[in-house]
Amino acid sequence: MFKSNFLKFATISLATVGLLAGCGSDSSSDASSEASSKKVTTVKIAYDQASKPMTYTDENGNPTGYDVEIMKEVDKLLPDYKFEYVGTTSDDLLIGVEQGKYQAGVKNAFFTKERKEKFIFPKEFLGLSSIGLVLKSSNKDLKSLSDFASKGYSLAPIAANNAQYTVIKEYNDKNPDNKVKLKAGDEFTVDVVQWVNEGRVDGGVMIEGAFQQQVTSDKGAYHNLKDQVVYNEFGVIKTWPLFNKNQQKLADAYDEAIKKLKQEKKPNELSKKFYGRDLFEVLNKAER
């Protein structure tokens, strides 16, 4: 009798343990299922694929450049989002983000009042860009817009919707007695290096990264002109990602992530990698 009762008790105990174990397994499975079913929103991030080293497609067909790599770091800190990068032209990026074809875009973009009307600018800027004058070597002593303007020199035309046009216009507004001869061009960009070298104009506005790729780099299209033309920086400007007007939540999430990355000095590292210098060291020179 004792043996029979003992066996019954043991059987019931094992069944109970099995039941409890089963309950624990179901709970763990439910938690795992809940985590795996958490919605991740895929957003399209457009990038100008021909603006090396800021944004471009590398030889393996991968999106890269300073702006793109920073956004990749942002994406790592946003588990609710997955960034899908779409290479395109500068014009299509602006139109596409405005119309919602893309949720955001990066193109070494400067802030302008006109763009503020069309896009969400986040609170935190993305990076910094050196902007300068491309000149013939004989004019290398012209170090500022003021120097250039005082000579009465001609400037390569800039499209009115190009943020570089706004930069020069802002200078002219502040210096009415010493204006740069600013002419609006029909095209978004012109071949500044060629225009200056051929003498069609006395100077042109350019981003340092672009000058390095075209002239300084051994593989640059105009590397043969490295002794004929110079780049003289006259300013450092903050650059921004552009968000569609309906993407305030995404822009807010970006702000939180980029603040953490700046604390970790990640933008400084990428600035050195893509620009050959830490532009954040001259952040105090950025006027806009």
Side-chain angles (χ1 to χ4, degrees):
M1 176 67 73
F2 173 77
K3 184 176 181 181
S4 176
N5 288 338
F6 175 78
L7 289 174
K8 288 181 179 179
F9 177 76
T11 300
I12 294 171
S13 297
L14 288 171
T16 303
V17 171
L19 180 61
L20 291 174
C23 290
S25 175
D26 289 342
S27 176
S28 175
S29 176
D30 289 344
S32 175
S33 177
E34 182 180 349
S36 63
S37 64
K38 188 174 182 180
K39 185 178 180 181
V40 176
T41 302
T42 298
V43 293
K44 291 183 178 181
I45 310 295
Y47 70 96
D48 183 345
Q49 59 185 349
S51 291
K52 190 175 183 178
M54 292 76 71
T55 57
Y56 64 101
T57 300
D58 68 18
E59 60 274 12
N60 297 315
N62 299 315
T64 189
Y66 174 87
D67 288 19
V68 173
E69 295 302 327
I70 280 289
M71 291 301 283
K72 288 179 182 178
E73 294 297 324
V74 167
D75 190 20
K76 291 177 184 178
L77 297 178
L78 302 181
D80 294 343
Y81 293 95
K82 178 183 178 182
F83 289 3
E84 179 182 300
Y85 298 92
V86 182
T88 185
T89 63
S90 178
D91 286 342
D92 178 68
L93 183 152
L94 294 172
I95 295 170
V97 174
E98 182 182 0
Q99 295 181 347
K101 177 181 177 182
Y102 313 116
Q103 283 68 57
V106 287
K107 60 177 297 296
N108 195 60
F110 298 168
F111 174 90
T112 68
K113 292 179 180 178
E114 292 76 16
R115 286 179 178 173
K116 180 67 173 177
E117 298 296 319
K118 299 178 180 180
F119 310 105
I120 292 175
F121 276 82
K123 295 177 182 177
E124 295 289 327
F125 67 94
L126 185 73
L128 292 163
S129 187
S130 164
I131 186 170
L133 287 168
V134 176
L135 307 159
K136 283 192 173 182
S137 297
S138 56
N139 287 322
K140 64 182 180 180
D141 291 334
L142 302 179
K143 303 294 185 182
S144 66
L145 289 177
S146 177
D147 292 341
F148 187 83
S150 65
K151 291 286 187 179
Y153 282 166
S154 60
L155 188 73
I158 310 172
N161 63 336
N162 187 326
Q164 294 177 20
Y165 184 95
T166 301
V167 172
I168 305 302
K169 184 176 183 302
E170 287 177 351
Y171 164 82
N172 284 346
D173 290 343
K174 294 177 181 178
N175 299 274
D177 297 327
N178 191 34
K179 290 184 176 182
V180 171
K181 293 179 180 179
L182 179 59
K183 179 181 178 181
D186 297 328
E187 300 179 10
F188 190 78
T189 59
V190 299
D191 196 333
V192 171
V193 175
Q194 186 179 52
W195 278 45
V196 171
N197 180 61
E198 292 177 350
R200 296 172 65 179
V201 291
D202 298 304
V205 178
M206 204 168 186
I207 302 301
E208 182 183 33
F211 183 84
Q212 289 177 341
Q213 290 302 314
Q214 291 188 30
V215 181
T216 308
S217 172
D218 292 342
K219 298 179 180 179
Y222 295 123
H223 184 63
N224 62 307
L225 300 178
K226 62 183 178 63
D227 296 323
Q228 279 72 55
V229 294
V230 297
Y231 171 88
N232 285 348
E233 178 180 286
F234 64 75
V236 180
I237 297 175
K238 295 175 182 177
T239 63
W240 306 80
L242 305 173
F243 291 90
N244 174 267
K245 281 288 190 179
N246 294 321
Q247 295 296 325
Q248 187 62 58
K249 183 179 179 181
L250 176 59
D252 291 342
Y254 157 87
D255 274 329
E256 292 305 311
I258 197 70
K259 280 192 290 187
K260 183 176 181 181
L261 292 173
K262 287 177 180 177
Q263 291 172 354
E264 297 172 352
K265 301 295 183 180
K266 194 65 181 179
N268 305 66
E269 296 173 17
L270 290 173
S271 179
K272 291 178 183 178
K273 177 180 178 180
F274 287 98
Y275 301 141
R277 59 186 287 209
D278 182 0
L279 285 166
F280 286 81
E281 291 180 351
V282 291
L283 176 59
N284 62 316
K285 294 183 179 180
E287 295 184 4
R288 63 195 310 279

